[in-house]
Amino acid sequence: DFDGVAVDSRIGGLDQPPAGDASTAFRVVTDSDGVTLTSDVVIAVVGSTVVQIAATGQRAIDAAVLTDIAKRQVDRLRVAPGT
């Protein structure tokens, strides 16, 4: 990075049930100076809306929790005006 501290990032697909009209999921793992952050991300399309749902922490979120969060958000978007 800018200050000379090494930052290592890896990205890979994540096996998640479909969400919305179309979706994809992936995991980004970032290591730097002894700290690891894991971001699990779902990108979903609901009607004309594209939404990103992300959970980041020092440990990966439980897959069932990420699925539930994505489903709840998609359900909210389906009933929102203009989607």
Side-chain angles (χ1 to χ4, degrees), residues 39-53:
S39 297
D40 288 339
V41 182
V42 175
I43 306 283
V45 177
V46 180
S48 62
T49 302
V50 179
V51 63
Q52 174 181 302
I53 299 125

Side-chain angles (χ1 to χ4, degrees), residues 29-69:
V29 179
T30 305
D31 296 304
S32 181
D33 206 22
V35 177
T36 299
L37 288 178
T38 301
S39 297
D40 288 339
V41 182
V42 175
I43 306 283
V45 177
V46 180
S48 62
T49 302
V50 179
V51 63
Q52 174 181 302
I53 299 125
T56 301
Q58 290 184 311
R59 287 174 280 145
I61 189 171
D62 181 86
V65 174
L66 183 62
T67 297
D68 185 57
I69 292 169

Side-chain angles (χ1 to χ4, degrees), residues 6-35:
V7 177
D8 178 44
S9 294
R10 296 173 307 285
I11 187 169
L14 195 58
D15 187 22
Q16 282 291 121
D21 300 323
S23 65
T24 190
F26 56 93
R27 174 173 287 162
V28 179
V29 179
T30 305
D31 296 304
S32 181
D33 206 22
V35 177

